[in-house]
Amino acid sequence: MSNLNSFIGGIRIQKNAIEQMTLLESVERLPHPNRVCIDFSKPSAPAVSIGDHVLLGTPLTLPEAKRAEHASVSGKVIDIKLDADGNALSVTIENDKLDEVDPSIIPFDKKLTETSPEEILSIIKKAGICESVDGISVARRIE
């Protein structure tokens, strides 16, 4: 049996070392990026075109996509990388730094116990919630 605490090369970080190294550091707000490139986990039909103005949360893929992708900033779509079949691989947005939220983003203020399974499935689908392992839409798995 090998000793898990001994190995050749690499570094050894002692338990709680990261916490101790960052204990006195303050949290800083990073500046807004000028551009954001959103890589799609699955090639999908784009719901936007170059030149479109998008808002935070605007769907970037069509509803029938295997996985919903959304804009993480508001601004102008300046590039769309496509595969040979015309499916989007990524969308680049020039950030206007206004953080305007898409009007389709509505807070859900209903109790879960008062929500029908169909409503829950619709919310999951619109939000683009996916499994972390293979990126398959949770809504597609449930359907």
Side-chain angles (χ1 to χ4, degrees), residues 1-9 11-15:
M1 183 179 283
S2 67
N3 183 349
L4 295 177
N5 292 324
S6 104
F7 57 90
I8 298 172
I11 61 169
R12 179 183 296 190
I13 299 177
Q14 295 179 355
K15 189 176 182 179

mmCIF file of all heavy atoms in Angstrom, residues 1-9 11-15:
data_model
loop_
_atom_site.group_PDB
_atom_site.id
_atom_site.type_symbol
_atom_site.label_atom_id
_atom_site.label_comp_id
_atom_site.label_asym_id
_atom_site.label_seq_id
_atom_site.Cartn_x
_atom_site.Cartn_y
_atom_site.Cartn_z
ATOM 1 N N MET A 1 0.847 -1.185 0.000
ATOM 2 C CA MET A 1 0.000 0.000 0.000
ATOM 3 C C MET A 1 0.890 1.246 0.000
ATOM 4 O O MET A 1 1.856 1.332 0.732
ATOM 5 C CB MET A 1 -0.901 -0.035 1.236
ATOM 6 C CG MET A 1 -1.866 1.121 1.285
ATOM 7 S SD MET A 1 -2.958 1.083 2.719
ATOM 8 C CE MET A 1 -4.098 -0.152 2.206
ATOM 9 N N SER A 2 0.553 2.218 -0.843
ATOM 10 C CA SER A 2 1.372 3.423 -0.928
ATOM 11 C C SER A 2 0.957 4.438 0.124
ATOM 12 O O SER A 2 -0.173 4.453 0.586
ATOM 13 C CB SER A 2 1.258 4.035 -2.315
ATOM 14 O OG SER A 2 -0.044 4.519 -2.511
ATOM 15 N N ASN A 3 1.878 5.291 0.466
ATOM 16 C CA ASN A 3 1.603 6.351 1.426
ATOM 17 C C ASN A 3 1.011 7.533 0.660
ATOM 18 O O ASN A 3 1.658 8.106 -0.202
ATOM 19 C CB ASN A 3 2.910 6.745 2.136
ATOM 20 C CG ASN A 3 2.682 7.804 3.196
ATOM 21 O OD1 ASN A 3 1.615 8.389 3.283
ATOM 22 N ND2 ASN A 3 3.705 8.032 3.999
ATOM 23 N N LEU A 4 -0.226 7.889 0.961
ATOM 24 C CA LEU A 4 -0.899 8.967 0.245
ATOM 25 C C LEU A 4 -0.278 10.336 0.512
ATOM 26 O O LEU A 4 -0.500 11.276 -0.222
ATOM 27 C CB LEU A 4 -2.385 8.995 0.606
ATOM 28 C CG LEU A 4 -3.194 7.771 0.181
ATOM 29 C CD1 LEU A 4 -4.625 7.901 0.667
ATOM 30 C CD2 LEU A 4 -3.174 7.603 -1.321
ATOM 31 N N ASN A 5 0.490 10.442 1.587
ATOM 32 C CA ASN A 5 1.087 11.729 1.932
ATOM 33 C C ASN A 5 2.460 11.930 1.304
ATOM 34 O O ASN A 5 3.099 12.934 1.534
ATOM 35 C CB ASN A 5 1.180 11.882 3.449
ATOM 36 C CG ASN A 5 -0.184 12.011 4.082
ATOM 37 O OD1 ASN A 5 -1.073 12.617 3.495
ATOM 38 N ND2 ASN A 5 -0.363 11.425 5.253
ATOM 39 N N SER A 6 2.951 10.958 0.554
ATOM 40 C CA SER A 6 4.263 11.141 -0.046
ATOM 41 C C SER A 6 4.172 10.895 -1.542
ATOM 42 O O SER A 6 3.555 9.937 -1.990
ATOM 43 C CB SER A 6 5.268 10.211 0.628
ATOM 44 O OG SER A 6 5.578 9.115 -0.145
ATOM 45 N N PHE A 7 4.746 11.780 -2.309
ATOM 46 C CA PHE A 7 4.761 11.653 -3.758
ATOM 47 C C PHE A 7 5.928 12.444 -4.292
ATOM 48 O O PHE A 7 6.486 13.306 -3.606
ATOM 49 C CB PHE A 7 3.441 12.120 -4.381
ATOM 50 C CG PHE A 7 3.071 13.538 -4.039
ATOM 51 C CD1 PHE A 7 3.488 14.584 -4.847
ATOM 52 C CD2 PHE A 7 2.317 13.831 -2.916
ATOM 53 C CE1 PHE A 7 3.167 15.890 -4.538
ATOM 54 C CE2 PHE A 7 1.980 15.134 -2.604
ATOM 55 C CZ PHE A 7 2.407 16.168 -3.414
ATOM 56 N N ILE A 8 6.308 12.152 -5.521
ATOM 57 C CA ILE A 8 7.441 12.824 -6.145
ATOM 58 C C ILE A 8 6.912 14.020 -6.940
ATOM 59 O O ILE A 8 5.981 13.888 -7.735
ATOM 60 C CB ILE A 8 8.198 11.858 -7.066
ATOM 61 C CG1 ILE A 8 8.740 10.701 -6.235
ATOM 62 C CG2 ILE A 8 9.303 12.574 -7.827
ATOM 63 C CD1 ILE A 8 9.339 9.587 -7.059
ATOM 64 N N GLY A 9 7.492 15.183 -6.725
ATOM 65 C CA GLY A 9 7.102 16.380 -7.461
ATOM 66 C C GLY A 9 5.818 16.992 -6.909
ATOM 67 O O GLY A 9 5.249 16.538 -5.935
ATOM 68 N N ILE A 11 3.212 20.000 -5.359
ATOM 69 C CA ILE A 11 3.249 20.810 -4.143
ATOM 70 C C ILE A 11 2.311 20.187 -3.118
ATOM 71 O O ILE A 11 1.405 19.442 -3.456
ATOM 72 C CB ILE A 11 2.825 22.278 -4.403
ATOM 73 C CG1 ILE A 11 1.383 22.341 -4.920
ATOM 74 C CG2 ILE A 11 3.779 22.963 -5.340
ATOM 75 C CD1 ILE A 11 0.808 23.713 -4.958
ATOM 76 N N ARG A 12 2.528 20.503 -1.898
ATOM 77 C CA ARG A 12 1.670 20.022 -0.826
ATOM 78 C C ARG A 12 1.066 21.247 -0.139
ATOM 79 O O ARG A 12 1.793 22.122 0.313
ATOM 80 C CB ARG A 12 2.462 19.205 0.182
ATOM 81 C CG ARG A 12 1.588 18.718 1.327
ATOM 82 C CD ARG A 12 2.381 17.982 2.341
ATOM 83 N NE ARG A 12 2.905 16.786 1.706
ATOM 84 C CZ ARG A 12 3.503 15.807 2.340
ATOM 85 N NH1 ARG A 12 3.655 15.879 3.634
ATOM 86 N NH2 ARG A 12 3.964 14.765 1.699
ATOM 87 N N ILE A 13 -0.227 21.292 -0.104
ATOM 88 C CA ILE A 13 -0.915 22.390 0.584
ATOM 89 C C ILE A 13 -1.486 21.826 1.870
ATOM 90 O O ILE A 13 -2.254 20.869 1.854
ATOM 91 C CB ILE A 13 -2.034 22.989 -0.285
ATOM 92 C CG1 ILE A 13 -1.435 23.555 -1.572
ATOM 93 C CG2 ILE A 13 -2.795 24.055 0.478
ATOM 94 C CD1 ILE A 13 -2.444 24.100 -2.546
ATOM 95 N N GLN A 14 -1.070 22.407 2.961
ATOM 96 C CA GLN A 14 -1.525 21.923 4.253
ATOM 97 C C GLN A 14 -3.007 22.237 4.450
ATOM 98 O O GLN A 14 -3.539 23.188 3.871
ATOM 99 C CB GLN A 14 -0.702 22.554 5.372
ATOM 100 C CG GLN A 14 0.747 22.126 5.336
ATOM 101 C CD GLN A 14 1.555 22.772 6.432
ATOM 102 O OE1 GLN A 14 1.062 23.604 7.173
ATOM 103 N NE2 GLN A 14 2.811 22.390 6.534
ATOM 104 N N LYS A 15 -3.625 21.436 5.269
ATOM 105 C CA LYS A 15 -5.043 21.614 5.576
ATOM 106 C C LYS A 15 -5.280 23.040 6.073
ATOM 107 O O LYS A 15 -4.517 23.563 6.881
ATOM 108 C CB LYS A 15 -5.462 20.602 6.645
ATOM 109 C CG LYS A 15 -6.931 20.549 6.894
ATOM 110 C CD LYS A 15 -7.268 19.458 7.880
ATOM 111 C CE LYS A 15 -8.768 19.413 8.075
ATOM 112 N NZ LYS A 15 -9.144 18.349 9.003
#
